Structures are given as C-alpha cells and as structure tokens.
Amino acid sequence: MTSPVVLSAPAAVIRLLGYSLVGILLFFVPFELAGRSSLLLDHAASALQTHARPLVVVCALLFMLYGAVMPWFDGSWRNSATTILFSVLRTLGLLVGVAYLFEFGPAALYQPDMLPFLFEKLVLSLTVIVPLGAIALVFLIGFGLLELVGVLMQPVMRPLWRTPGKSAIDAIASFAGSYSVGLLITDRMYREGQYSLRDAAIIATGFSTVSVPFLVVVARTLDLMEHWNLYFWSTLLITFLVTSVTARIYPLASLPAERLPEPELEHGVSRFASAWQAGVARAACAPSLPVSLWGTFVDGLRMTAYILPSILAVGLLGLLAAKYTPLFDAIGLLLYPLTWLFGLEQPMQVASALASGLAEMFLPVILLKDADQLVRFVTAIVSVSSVLFFSASIPCMLATRIPLRLRDLLLVWLQRCLLSLLFSLPFGHLALYLGWL
C-alpha cells in the first residue's frame, strides 16, 4: 500500500477549509426543504424512503441477511456469551423482517406501535442514514477538523468529561447527528488508538443519543414543540451533565485509559495557532478523498448489517415485554423513589414507563403522551439522556470493535436513568414555577 501524498501548505489549507465546511454543513446546519427544516442527511434519507421505498426495503433485507448469516459463517458467534446471544437474535431479526413483509404472524404484532413502528421508523431509516452518514463522516473527521477542534477543546473536555479534546467534535456529532453515526467516529478513533477504552466507552454511552430530528418527533408526540428551545437545550445540558458524573464512577471509571498522547502546545505558540497547525498538518498527509470515502463507507455498511436484525429482534421482544409482562414494572421499582419523592402524579406508572426505555427509547414517550405537562417534559428529557436502549443503541455499540460488556452497559443505563431523573425533575418544577412550561 502506497503512502498518501503530502500536499503543499496552500493545498492543505484549501483541503482543510473546503472539506471541513462540507462536513459542518452536512452535520450541523439545518436546511428547509419542502416546508421541513432538518439536516441534509435527514432530507436525503427521507427522500430515499419516500421515493425509492422498494429499493430501501431490498437493501434492508440484504443487510439483515448478511448480519444474520456472517457470525455463523466466520465463527465469530463463539467469541463470548454476548456474541452467541446476539447471533441468535440477529437470525431471529431476519426471520421477523421477512415475516413482516409477507404479513405472516399474529395480528397483535401488526399494531401500529409494534412491528410497523420498528420496521418503518427504525429499520428503513437506519438502512439509509448510516451508509449516507458514513460517507459524510469523512468530511468531518478525515481532513484536519478533528485535530483542530481537539487542540482547542483540550482545556474543556478533560476536566469535564475525562476525554481527549478531539472527542468534542465526536460528542457534538453524536448528539446532534445520530448515535449510529457518532459510534462510527468513536469506533474508528478507538481502532486507531486515538481513544482509550475508557474514552470510547464514555463517549459511546454518554453522547450517542438519538438525532436532533428524532428529538423533534419526541417533542411533537409529547406536545412540547411550543417549548422546543427549552426542551432541546435542557436535554443537551442534562445529557452532558449526567455524562460528567458517570465518567467518574464504576464501571466507566475503572476501564483502561491508555491512548495516543495528545499534542502539547509549543512554548510561545497560542492555542489557536497550535490548533491550526495540527489541522493543516493532518489535511496535508490525509489519504485521498476516494480512499477515505471507501474505507468509512465499508465501516458504515458493516455496522448497518449488524444493527438492523438486532433492532427488529430486540425491539420486538422489548415491546412485547412492556405490553404483556411485569418486567418493566419490576425495573421501575428502582426509579420509583425519585418519581415519588418529587411528587409526580401516579409515580409508579411513570417509573414503569420510563423503565421501558431500556427496550426502546420511544416507549416511554408513547406510554406517557397523555400525562401532565411536568411528566411529559421529564419523559422527553430522560428518554434521550438515558442514551442506552436495546432496540438500537446497545446492539449498535456491541457491533463496534470497542470491547464493551453488556452487564456494564445495563449498569450505565440505570445510572443515567436515575441521574437524568435527579436533574430533570427539579429543573422541570423550576420551569413550571417560572412559567417557562
């Protein structure tokens, strides 16, 4: 393999500014098209789902077929108890997907909040958004912007979240874009040695929430759109605040922290000048755009293939458990003391509904959409800031090469759920008192 050509300084500056601008426009700037304001990635995904649905469905089935068959073919199912479990679940997910398309199975599975929700809203969306996001990701992380932001953010990220400065753009992309796209960044940085296991675990479990467009869906469902700015910024603040706590307690705090050293500032050189130099140096020696696009695109295809069947299988099992078993009532007992202490109406019902977020983050939103305003506001925050759920983000994390243990993810979910409640409940009461809600 030939080494990448090192560009001259002017060409590197053009590459840094040009490609980085494209990445920023794709990930962080909403555009209004057809009366809807959203990110270009989301517009592209929506257009494909609307105008090329048969193609998207075929791609989804091919992804699920690959994801279900490959672990048995390459023997990776033997790696651990978790890989055995998810290999079986991915096979089940493939069968469920085929059954859904042929409308085979009991009518209870075809209620709007069961298989139709999982397949139409999650599977088909991820089928297009993850590969598209992987392509767009190159412009954000491949040509110097990551290094530039990393040097600038060193004084902030390490004291607050115990992660490198360069993780700032990862955290922002994870929160503003999508957990799946954010995890692509985190996985790549971990494999390159830029992140330690602890860094990667903190970022994956602390910032990889659902996308901003999905936050809009949450706010609309809970009738909070007239308070959108309050909801969005309080969710961001509480999510990041919870992460600053979980980064300092077991199990995340006990993970290994070896990583490549961060660059030190040269004596007499300002932080901005040092950041600019780091960005230009990366842009000068980065591989060509086609090479970078192909490598990240393949990563995106692989991740898509592994998460789609997992989402269908685990999501369906979680929805069935929430509807027909007392499982989440039992888990809700762990959250009940907080919902009772802060005086919520029907505190046990609220605790059980929030506990169902472990199966699918949208479940509490569905179950509590008719509750009072305080409960709806808290639900909208906690369902996002908890980050971890079995229908999507947990399988997505386990599909990366970051060696996260399922039991640790479950403990982090409980910590995040409790802390999110602890922070959002008093804030919700304050917002009501001040007339913000």
Side-chain angles (χ1 to χ4, degrees), residues 352-369:
S352 298
L354 291 174
S356 70
L358 178 59
E360 158 57 44
M361 66 78 55
F362 207 67
L363 266 180
V365 177
I366 296 171
L367 296 173
L368 297 172
K369 62 181 172 31

Side-chain angles (χ1 to χ4, degrees), residues 404-415:
L404 299 170
R405 296 184 298 186
L406 181 58
R407 67 184 185 187
D408 289 343
L409 293 179
L410 292 175
L411 179 55
V412 172
W413 170 82
L414 179 59
Q415 292 170 347

